[in-house]
Amino acid sequence: MIKAERQDKVRQLLEEQGTVSVKEISDALGVSDMTIRRDLEELASLGEIERVHGGARSAQSRPHAMLRHEYSHSEKRTKHAEEKLQIARRSVELIEEGSTIFLGTGTTVEQMASMLPAFRLRIVTNSLSVFNLLEAREYCELCLVGGVYRRRTAAFVGPTAEDTLRALGIDAAFIGANGILDGDVSTSNMEEGRIQQLAFSKADSRYLIADSSKIGKRDFYTFCRLDSLDAVVCEPGIAAEDRAAIEEHTQVIC
């Protein structure tokens, strides 16, 4: 791996996780600790990152830092896996028997689908992955919102999907995000954001499910404000400052 490519990957890790240790970067890239330390020193001297003890902090600590990379569905499955499990377990506890639930796209929502309680539910989704997980499940009435298929996130989007969703009544919506900053909730794609926005507008109860790595970041399309939501469901280990940033606008459920 050449130096420029290696440093690009270092930037991506820091943009995603905020603060990363030298060992974590070394393990992820398969290079020596000494090489990573030299890269971090060089990037820090250019003002692109901040060095901290044992690692580095992303320049995303600057306000309004923009995410520059949309991770694929398969890439997202490996990131913050334990936090996603914790969030999914807590989220399914909010579901009432006999209700109509919208499940959005994303790997945390997929974890929810695998944990749904064994009672009668109607599930509305625009996620092919969620549909496939629930297709054989008893007690679930499934409504797959069709439209233009977006392979990168296994989602159906576009006017057809929006028209279908607009006609439905929803008790509770559970939707993920790529960024949470200054009360704005954002995602990488406008068409997906429009579906998420519409689903929240149709739901009586609105839950954002997002691990704390999304806090302090923003992406291309803002689809809702935190103060329009009932709660954000986060992992139990969320930092006090991250929790406080959300609680300025809505409650946190862990």
Side-chain angles (χ1 to χ4, degrees), residues 22 26 31-39:
V22 169
S26 174
V31 297
S32 70
D33 288 2
M34 185 63 68
T35 298
I36 295 303
R37 287 193 178 92
R38 285 197 296 266
D39 284 338

Side-chain angles (χ1 to χ4, degrees), residues 183-247:
D184 288 334
V185 182
S186 56
T187 191
S188 61
N189 178 266
M190 186 180 299
E191 289 185 313
E192 287 199 38
R194 285 173 58 87
I195 286 286
Q196 294 165 334
Q197 190 175 56
L198 182 57
F200 271 151
S201 75
K202 300 293 295 183
D204 294 332
S205 299
R206 305 162 185 176
Y207 299 104
L208 187 73
I209 57 173
D211 64 80
S212 58
S213 72
K214 312 295 173 50
I215 300 170
K217 300 178 183 177
R218 68 180 173 92
D219 213 330
F220 174 63
Y221 186 78
T222 296
F223 64 91
C224 75
R225 291 276 302 169
L226 286 177
D227 53 18
S228 71
L229 304 178
D230 290 270
V232 177
V233 187
C234 287
E235 75 273 17
I238 181 174
E241 60 269 26
D242 288 338
R243 182 171 190 140
I246 295 176
E247 287 181 334

Side-chain angles (χ1 to χ4, degrees), residues 71-105:
Y71 290 96
S72 69
H73 208 58
S74 58
E75 287 175 317
K76 287 179 179 178
R77 284 196 175 102
T78 65
K79 299 179 185 302
H80 307 286
E82 181 56 35
E83 290 90 341
K84 291 174 181 178
L85 282 171
Q86 294 170 332
I87 293 166
R89 290 191 191 103
R90 185 66 184 93
S91 296
V92 296
E93 295 174 359
L94 303 171
I95 296 175
E96 298 181 5
E97 183 171 5
S99 57
T100 297
I101 305 298
F102 178 84
L103 296 180
T105 59

